[in-house]
Amino acid sequence: MTMAYLAQPEQQQKLEWLDGATFSVLLDQQATEGKLTVGRFDVAKGEAPPFHLHTREDEVFMLIKGTALVWCGEEEHELSEGGIVYLPRNVPHGYRITSDRADLLMIATPGGIEGMFRHAGRDLTTPRPDGFEIPKSLLAEASELYGGVILGPPR
């Protein structure tokens, strides 16, 4: 990179995501010259994405607050507050939040995965349609467009 990038909270895009969670795009591929994406989830108990893998990115998740079960392949692990997990591309994974709320930091390299969240999520600056939800078909489409493979239902 040739230039630093700074984004204050009011400049960070916030999206409604699965099960009413929010995903904040802290740094996207445009800000990092394609090197990485940094995002932050605010999620409630029980939130769990489909079991999936990424073909383009390696991911790091850090549980800033809360607890979760994490699956890496067929192995199940408990992740406590402050815990971190590295998920290389092509490794099937998923998680389920077990605390009342969780604050989860995600770093993916190279950048670009934020496109999946933008494609299927709802920008919180726009009015919320009655009964808004992300249909499975839209989630599958967004995942496929950005190199993801949904392998099965949430764990």
Side-chain angles (χ1 to χ4, degrees):
M1 289 193 55
T2 57
M3 190 169 119
Y5 181 86
L6 182 130
Q8 297 292 354
E10 61 274 7
Q11 297 169 293
Q12 299 162 5
Q13 184 182 28
K14 291 182 176 46
L15 303 166
E16 183 173 352
W17 191 238
L18 300 174
D19 302 321
T22 59
F23 178 74
S24 299
V25 181
L26 306 181
L27 292 172
D28 63 12
Q29 68 177 346
Q30 184 177 358
T32 65
E33 296 179 345
K35 290 178 176 47
L36 58 96
T37 296
V38 180
R40 193 167 179 179
F41 293 93
D42 177 25
V43 294
K45 186 174 189 166
E47 193 272 342
F51 195 61
H52 64 282
L53 62 82
H54 304 279
T55 62
R56 299 179 187 169
E57 315 73 28
D58 299 324
E59 272 186 301
V60 173
F61 280 107
M62 181 177 182
L63 198 53
I64 297 170
K65 188 172 187 171
T67 57
L69 292 174
V70 177
W71 289 269
C72 304
E74 294 306 312
E75 295 181 19
E76 179 182 312
H77 304 275
E78 290 185 36
L79 193 63
S80 58
E81 200 163 292
I84 192 165
V85 60
Y86 167 64
L87 299 160
R89 67 192 75 191
N90 297 313
V91 171
H93 60 277
Y95 65 83
R96 179 172 298 280
I97 301 303
T98 56
S99 54
D100 287 338
R101 292 218 66 79
D103 183 359
L104 186 66
L105 183 70
M106 179 208 72
I107 302 169
T109 183
I113 196 170
E114 72 277 1
M116 177 188 72
F117 295 101
R118 289 174 171 155
H119 186 85
R122 181 186 70 83
D123 191 306
L124 290 179
T125 62
T126 64
R128 188 177 198 274
D130 288 340
F132 173 82
E133 67 176 47
I134 298 172
K136 288 180 182 179
S137 59
L138 182 58
L139 180 60
E141 175 183 280
S143 180
E144 185 176 326
L145 283 171
Y146 291 92
V149 179
I150 295 176
L151 302 171
R155 300 247 165 139

mmCIF file of all heavy atoms in Angstrom, residues 125-152:
data_model
loop_
_atom_site.group_PDB
_atom_site.id
_atom_site.type_symbol
_atom_site.label_atom_id
_atom_site.label_comp_id
_atom_site.label_asym_id
_atom_site.label_seq_id
_atom_site.Cartn_x
_atom_site.Cartn_y
_atom_site.Cartn_z
ATOM 1 N N THR A 125 -28.815 2.360 6.135
ATOM 2 C CA THR A 125 -29.236 3.728 5.837
ATOM 3 C C THR A 125 -30.490 3.759 4.967
ATOM 4 O O THR A 125 -31.045 4.825 4.735
ATOM 5 C CB THR A 125 -28.113 4.531 5.143
ATOM 6 O OG1 THR A 125 -27.799 3.913 3.894
ATOM 7 C CG2 THR A 125 -26.872 4.622 6.031
ATOM 8 N N THR A 126 -30.941 2.591 4.505
ATOM 9 C CA THR A 126 -32.145 2.521 3.678
ATOM 10 C C THR A 126 -33.328 2.061 4.527
ATOM 11 O O THR A 126 -33.141 1.356 5.528
ATOM 12 C CB THR A 126 -31.964 1.542 2.499
ATOM 13 O OG1 THR A 126 -31.770 0.219 3.009
ATOM 14 C CG2 THR A 126 -30.772 1.948 1.638
ATOM 15 N N PRO A 127 -34.541 2.446 4.153
ATOM 16 C CA PRO A 127 -35.714 2.002 4.920
ATOM 17 C C PRO A 127 -35.823 0.469 4.916
ATOM 18 O O PRO A 127 -35.563 -0.177 3.900
ATOM 19 C CB PRO A 127 -36.897 2.627 4.181
ATOM 20 C CG PRO A 127 -36.313 3.741 3.381
ATOM 21 C CD PRO A 127 -34.905 3.337 3.059
ATOM 22 N N ARG A 128 -36.216 -0.083 6.052
ATOM 23 C CA ARG A 128 -36.357 -1.538 6.178
ATOM 24 C C ARG A 128 -37.726 -1.964 5.674
ATOM 25 O O ARG A 128 -38.755 -1.581 6.232
ATOM 26 C CB ARG A 128 -36.189 -1.962 7.630
ATOM 27 C CG ARG A 128 -36.128 -3.466 7.802
ATOM 28 C CD ARG A 128 -35.876 -3.814 9.279
ATOM 29 N NE ARG A 128 -35.392 -5.170 9.409
ATOM 30 C CZ ARG A 128 -36.186 -6.237 9.486
ATOM 31 N NH1 ARG A 128 -37.502 -6.102 9.446
ATOM 32 N NH2 ARG A 128 -35.659 -7.437 9.598
ATOM 33 N N PRO A 129 -37.765 -2.791 4.629
ATOM 34 C CA PRO A 129 -39.060 -3.298 4.159
ATOM 35 C C PRO A 129 -39.717 -4.174 5.233
ATOM 36 O O PRO A 129 -39.022 -4.860 5.986
ATOM 37 C CB PRO A 129 -38.690 -4.144 2.931
ATOM 38 C CG PRO A 129 -37.311 -3.740 2.554
ATOM 39 C CD PRO A 129 -36.653 -3.267 3.820
ATOM 40 N N ASP A 130 -41.041 -4.144 5.294
ATOM 41 C CA ASP A 130 -41.761 -5.019 6.232
ATOM 42 C C ASP A 130 -41.363 -6.461 5.985
ATOM 43 O O ASP A 130 -41.295 -6.916 4.840
ATOM 44 C CB ASP A 130 -43.280 -4.878 6.045
ATOM 45 C CG ASP A 130 -43.801 -3.547 6.563
ATOM 46 O OD1 ASP A 130 -43.112 -2.909 7.389
ATOM 47 O OD2 ASP A 130 -44.896 -3.144 6.120
ATOM 48 N N GLY A 131 -41.051 -7.177 7.060
ATOM 49 C CA GLY A 131 -40.741 -8.599 6.967
ATOM 50 C C GLY A 131 -39.428 -8.906 6.270
ATOM 51 O O GLY A 131 -39.256 -10.003 5.746
ATOM 52 N N PHE A 132 -38.505 -7.947 6.253
ATOM 53 C CA PHE A 132 -37.229 -8.172 5.555
ATOM 54 C C PHE A 132 -36.536 -9.419 6.071
ATOM 55 O O PHE A 132 -36.456 -9.658 7.259
ATOM 56 C CB PHE A 132 -36.284 -6.976 5.738
ATOM 57 C CG PHE A 132 -34.908 -7.238 5.176
ATOM 58 C CD1 PHE A 132 -34.665 -7.083 3.827
ATOM 59 C CD2 PHE A 132 -33.872 -7.653 5.996
ATOM 60 C CE1 PHE A 132 -33.404 -7.335 3.298
ATOM 61 C CE2 PHE A 132 -32.611 -7.907 5.484
ATOM 62 C CZ PHE A 132 -32.371 -7.747 4.124
ATOM 63 N N GLU A 133 -36.057 -10.207 5.148
ATOM 64 C CA GLU A 133 -35.193 -11.346 5.458
ATOM 65 C C GLU A 133 -34.352 -11.628 4.229
ATOM 66 O O GLU A 133 -34.677 -11.186 3.124
ATOM 67 C CB GLU A 133 -35.982 -12.584 5.876
ATOM 68 C CG GLU A 133 -36.816 -13.186 4.779
ATOM 69 C CD GLU A 133 -37.494 -14.481 5.226
ATOM 70 O OE1 GLU A 133 -38.080 -14.508 6.311
ATOM 71 O OE2 GLU A 133 -37.422 -15.455 4.461
ATOM 72 N N ILE A 134 -33.265 -12.335 4.438
ATOM 73 C CA ILE A 134 -32.404 -12.705 3.322
ATOM 74 C C ILE A 134 -32.809 -14.114 2.899
ATOM 75 O O ILE A 134 -32.568 -15.069 3.637
ATOM 76 C CB ILE A 134 -30.924 -12.656 3.736
ATOM 77 C CG1 ILE A 134 -30.546 -11.230 4.154
ATOM 78 C CG2 ILE A 134 -30.034 -13.151 2.594
ATOM 79 C CD1 ILE A 134 -29.174 -11.104 4.769
ATOM 80 N N PRO A 135 -33.449 -14.255 1.746
ATOM 81 C CA PRO A 135 -33.862 -15.600 1.310
ATOM 82 C C PRO A 135 -32.639 -16.480 1.055
ATOM 83 O O PRO A 135 -31.576 -16.005 0.651
ATOM 84 C CB PRO A 135 -34.645 -15.362 0.029
ATOM 85 C CG PRO A 135 -34.654 -13.909 -0.231
ATOM 86 C CD PRO A 135 -33.820 -13.227 0.791
ATOM 87 N N LYS A 136 -32.817 -17.779 1.259
ATOM 88 C CA LYS A 136 -31.720 -18.726 1.019
ATOM 89 C C LYS A 136 -31.197 -18.625 -0.408
ATOM 90 O O LYS A 136 -30.003 -18.762 -0.652
ATOM 91 C CB LYS A 136 -32.174 -20.157 1.313
ATOM 92 C CG LYS A 136 -32.355 -20.430 2.781
ATOM 93 C CD LYS A 136 -32.814 -21.856 3.034
ATOM 94 C CE LYS A 136 -33.032 -22.070 4.515
ATOM 95 N NZ LYS A 136 -33.496 -23.413 4.812
ATOM 96 N N SER A 137 -32.088 -18.364 -1.350
ATOM 97 C CA SER A 137 -31.660 -18.263 -2.752
ATOM 98 C C SER A 137 -30.736 -17.066 -2.971
ATOM 99 O O SER A 137 -29.752 -17.158 -3.707
ATOM 100 C CB SER A 137 -32.870 -18.171 -3.674
ATOM 101 O OG SER A 137 -33.656 -17.033 -3.348
ATOM 102 N N LEU A 138 -31.015 -15.942 -2.326
ATOM 103 C CA LEU A 138 -30.166 -14.764 -2.459
ATOM 104 C C LEU A 138 -28.829 -14.984 -1.755
ATOM 105 O O LEU A 138 -27.778 -14.587 -2.262
ATOM 106 C CB LEU A 138 -30.866 -13.517 -1.910
ATOM 107 C CG LEU A 138 -30.098 -12.208 -2.040
ATOM 108 C CD1 LEU A 138 -29.762 -11.901 -3.507
ATOM 109 C CD2 LEU A 138 -30.886 -11.064 -1.414
ATOM 110 N N LEU A 139 -28.854 -15.635 -0.598
ATOM 111 C CA LEU A 139 -27.617 -15.956 0.115
ATOM 112 C C LEU A 139 -26.748 -16.879 -0.740
ATOM 113 O O LEU A 139 -25.537 -16.665 -0.871
ATOM 114 C CB LEU A 139 -27.923 -16.611 1.462
ATOM 115 C CG LEU A 139 -26.717 -16.986 2.305
ATOM 116 C CD1 LEU A 139 -25.872 -15.766 2.641
ATOM 117 C CD2 LEU A 139 -27.174 -17.690 3.576
ATOM 118 N N ALA A 140 -27.339 -17.880 -1.348
ATOM 119 C CA ALA A 140 -26.595 -18.809 -2.209
ATOM 120 C C ALA A 140 -26.022 -18.075 -3.419
ATOM 121 O O ALA A 140 -24.863 -18.295 -3.797
ATOM 122 C CB ALA A 140 -27.495 -19.954 -2.656
ATOM 123 N N GLU A 141 -26.805 -17.192 -4.016
ATOM 124 C CA GLU A 141 -26.337 -16.417 -5.165
ATOM 125 C C GLU A 141 -25.152 -15.535 -4.780
ATOM 126 O O GLU A 141 -24.124 -15.511 -5.468
ATOM 127 C CB GLU A 141 -27.483 -15.551 -5.688
ATOM 128 C CG GLU A 141 -27.096 -14.604 -6.804
ATOM 129 C CD GLU A 141 -28.281 -13.732 -7.207
ATOM 130 O OE1 GLU A 141 -29.147 -14.219 -7.956
ATOM 131 O OE2 GLU A 141 -28.324 -12.560 -6.758
ATOM 132 N N ALA A 142 -25.280 -14.813 -3.653
ATOM 133 C CA ALA A 142 -24.199 -13.929 -3.195
ATOM 134 C C ALA A 142 -22.945 -14.729 -2.884
ATOM 135 O O ALA A 142 -21.834 -14.327 -3.242
ATOM 136 C CB ALA A 142 -24.662 -13.138 -1.971
ATOM 137 N N SER A 143 -23.120 -15.850 -2.228
ATOM 138 C CA SER A 143 -21.984 -16.701 -1.884
ATOM 139 C C SER A 143 -21.256 -17.157 -3.142
ATOM 140 O O SER A 143 -20.029 -17.035 -3.254
ATOM 141 C CB SER A 143 -22.470 -17.904 -1.071
ATOM 142 O OG SER A 143 -21.388 -18.729 -0.724
ATOM 143 N N GLU A 144 -21.999 -17.640 -4.109
ATOM 144 C CA GLU A 144 -21.396 -18.141 -5.347
ATOM 145 C C GLU A 144 -20.677 -17.025 -6.117
ATOM 146 O O GLU A 144 -19.586 -17.232 -6.638
ATOM 147 C CB GLU A 144 -22.476 -18.774 -6.228
ATOM 148 C CG GLU A 144 -21.917 -19.428 -7.473
ATOM 149 C CD GLU A 144 -22.990 -20.135 -8.282
ATOM 150 O OE1 GLU A 144 -23.945 -20.672 -7.696
ATOM 151 O OE2 GLU A 144 -22.854 -20.122 -9.520
ATOM 152 N N LEU A 145 -21.279 -15.849 -6.168
ATOM 153 C CA LEU A 145 -20.660 -14.726 -6.877
ATOM 154 C C LEU A 145 -19.301 -14.351 -6.296
ATOM 155 O O LEU A 145 -18.426 -13.864 -7.007
ATOM 156 C CB LEU A 145 -21.570 -13.503 -6.831
ATOM 157 C CG LEU A 145 -22.768 -13.501 -7.759
ATOM 158 C CD1 LEU A 145 -23.693 -12.329 -7.434
ATOM 159 C CD2 LEU A 145 -22.321 -13.434 -9.217
ATOM 160 N N TYR A 146 -19.132 -14.575 -4.997
ATOM 161 C CA TYR A 146 -17.911 -14.155 -4.323
ATOM 162 C C TYR A 146 -17.053 -15.331 -3.859
ATOM 163 O O TYR A 146 -16.259 -15.210 -2.927
ATOM 164 C CB TYR A 146 -18.257 -13.190 -3.172
ATOM 165 C CG TYR A 146 -18.770 -11.895 -3.755
ATOM 166 C CD1 TYR A 146 -20.129 -11.689 -3.968
ATOM 167 C CD2 TYR A 146 -17.883 -10.915 -4.182
ATOM 168 C CE1 TYR A 146 -20.591 -10.521 -4.557
ATOM 169 C CE2 TYR A 146 -18.337 -9.750 -4.775
ATOM 170 C CZ TYR A 146 -19.689 -9.556 -4.963
ATOM 171 O OH TYR A 146 -20.140 -8.400 -5.555
ATOM 172 N N GLY A 147 -17.186 -16.469 -4.534
ATOM 173 C CA GLY A 147 -16.279 -17.585 -4.299
ATOM 174 C C GLY A 147 -16.613 -18.463 -3.111
ATOM 175 O O GLY A 147 -15.794 -19.276 -2.703
ATOM 176 N N GLY A 148 -17.793 -18.316 -2.553
ATOM 177 C CA GLY A 148 -18.210 -19.167 -1.447
ATOM 178 C C GLY A 148 -18.951 -20.392 -1.933
ATOM 179 O O GLY A 148 -19.524 -20.393 -3.027
ATOM 180 N N VAL A 149 -18.912 -21.440 -1.127
ATOM 181 C CA VAL A 149 -19.644 -22.672 -1.430
ATOM 182 C C VAL A 149 -20.430 -23.057 -0.185
ATOM 183 O O VAL A 149 -19.843 -23.314 0.862
ATOM 184 C CB VAL A 149 -18.688 -23.820 -1.825
ATOM 185 C CG1 VAL A 149 -19.475 -25.099 -2.106
ATOM 186 C CG2 VAL A 149 -17.825 -23.430 -3.015
ATOM 187 N N ILE A 150 -21.746 -23.040 -0.277
ATOM 188 C CA ILE A 150 -22.587 -23.478 0.844
ATOM 189 C C ILE A 150 -22.658 -24.990 0.799
ATOM 190 O O ILE A 150 -23.061 -25.577 -0.205
ATOM 191 C CB ILE A 150 -23.976 -22.827 0.779
ATOM 192 C CG1 ILE A 150 -23.839 -21.314 0.961
ATOM 193 C CG2 ILE A 150 -24.901 -23.429 1.842
ATOM 194 C CD1 ILE A 150 -25.118 -20.534 0.823
ATOM 195 N N LEU A 151 -22.249 -25.609 1.909
ATOM 196 C CA LEU A 151 -22.163 -27.076 1.975
ATOM 197 C C LEU A 151 -23.339 -27.712 2.684
ATOM 198 O O LEU A 151 -23.566 -28.908 2.532
ATOM 199 C CB LEU A 151 -20.862 -27.476 2.681
ATOM 200 C CG LEU A 151 -19.589 -26.953 2.015
ATOM 201 C CD1 LEU A 151 -18.397 -27.207 2.908
ATOM 202 C CD2 LEU A 151 -19.404 -27.616 0.651
ATOM 203 N N GLY A 152 -24.051 -26.941 3.465
ATOM 204 C CA GLY A 152 -25.176 -27.496 4.198
ATOM 205 C C GLY A 152 -25.783 -26.483 5.130
ATOM 206 O O GLY A 152 -25.346 -25.331 5.187
#
